[in-house]
Amino acid sequence: MIKTHTIHHSIYKSATKSFLLILGAVLLFSSPCNKAYSDTKHTIVKWPLSSKLRQSTVLNIVHGTDGMLWLVTLAGVSRFNGVEFIDYDPFTPRSGYIKSTNIVAILASPEGIVYAATRDSGLLVYDKVSDNFNSLESRLLNSNSLSQITAAFSDRSGLVWLGHRNGDIYVYNSRTGDARKYGEKLSGEVSSFTQTPNDDIYAVTKNGDIAY
């Protein structure tokens, strides 16, 4: 059963945002689990296989439910299958094709669907049979709702949230093939989404506003 999410437009200005950041920092560093985390040893090293990427600027990365690693670069999308990279770009006519290299985010839904959200070609979906990213077929995802995507997010129920340059937010449901415009237009370009443990969805704009 798909849980319905609703965006209630409560806008918090910079003072509230600063308070939340300070409160979060206090809770983090005063938490009993913080000591356990700080005692854990982590090592960050350069991934040796990164030199095999077609283009070295990695903009986005996601781990698919099938174990595949998907990376977005300035040249398009690369998929790592554990052995090698498979590249997807607009210059490959058959397998390995993706319509755009102007990619905002690569998403992997809980059902295993992989999406590429683009600024100029809308929401694309990966097809395993053809090994291509194809335009999404939807009754409501028309050229207007797909243009100028600036943020994208796949929530835990499998819904895909799309933020636009003009402040609009659409939610795509892969089970029904529909996309709905949610709430009123925000005050500026949508830049990011996140989901809380209670399944509330937050959206932020480049103007510094937060809506939920």
Side-chain angles (χ1 to χ4, degrees), residues 23 31 42 53 67 84 87 111 132 159 161 196 200 210:
L23 178 61
S31 171
H42 298 275
L53 284 167
E84 61 182 350
D87 297 316
E111 296 92 347
N132 289 324
L159 298 178
W161 297 74
T196 70
D200 294 323
I210 305 174

Side-chain angles (χ1 to χ4, degrees), residues 24-202:
V26 171
L27 292 176
L28 173 64
F29 289 105
S30 63
S31 171
C33 68
N34 182 58
K35 184 178 184 302
Y37 179 80
S38 62
D39 290 342
T40 303
K41 296 186 181 301
H42 298 275
T43 302
I44 300 176
V45 297
K46 184 177 181 180
W47 190 26
L49 291 174
S50 61
S51 61
K52 302 294 184 182
L53 284 167
R54 177 181 293 186
Q55 209 281 332
S56 60
T57 303
V58 179
L59 305 174
N60 194 228
I61 186 170
V62 71
H63 189 232
T65 57
D66 58 357
M68 298 291 179
L69 194 64
W70 296 86
L71 302 95
V72 174
T73 70
L74 295 177
V77 172
S78 294
R79 173 171 59 91
F80 183 66
N81 61 12
V83 178
E84 61 182 350
F85 287 102
I86 294 90
D87 297 316
Y88 300 83
D89 59 52
F91 314 109
T92 306
R94 302 184 196 56
S95 64
Y97 176 79
I98 188 168
K99 190 175 181 180
S100 172
T101 59
N102 199 357
I103 301 166
V104 174
I106 191 85
L107 309 174
S109 75
E111 296 92 347
I113 304 173
V114 176
Y115 301 95
T118 72
R119 289 183 177 85
D120 53 6
S121 300
L123 187 64
L124 310 177
V125 61
Y126 176 67
D127 178 51
K128 291 183 179 180
V129 176
S130 64
D131 194 26
N132 289 324
F133 280 86
N134 300 322
S135 297
L136 196 61
E137 296 295 334
S138 172
R139 293 189 292 274
L140 297 182
L141 277 176
N142 52 43
S143 58
N144 291 329
S145 60
L146 282 174
S147 62
Q148 300 181 333
I149 294 175
T150 55
F153 178 75
S154 177
D155 70 17
R156 284 187 286 271
S157 71
L159 298 178
V160 177
W161 297 74
L162 302 172
H164 292 251
R165 184 177 180 181
N166 65 359
D168 283 337
I169 292 177
Y170 287 82
V171 181
Y172 172 70
N173 186 332
S174 63
R175 296 178 179 87
T176 63
D178 289 339
R180 296 184 184 182
K181 183 178 177 181
Y182 263 66
E184 298 177 1
K185 184 178 295 186
L186 301 185
S187 63
E189 178 180 317
V190 182
S191 57
S192 185
F193 293 95
T194 192
Q195 185 172 19
T196 70
N198 294 328
D199 290 335
D200 294 323
I201 300 294
Y202 283 76

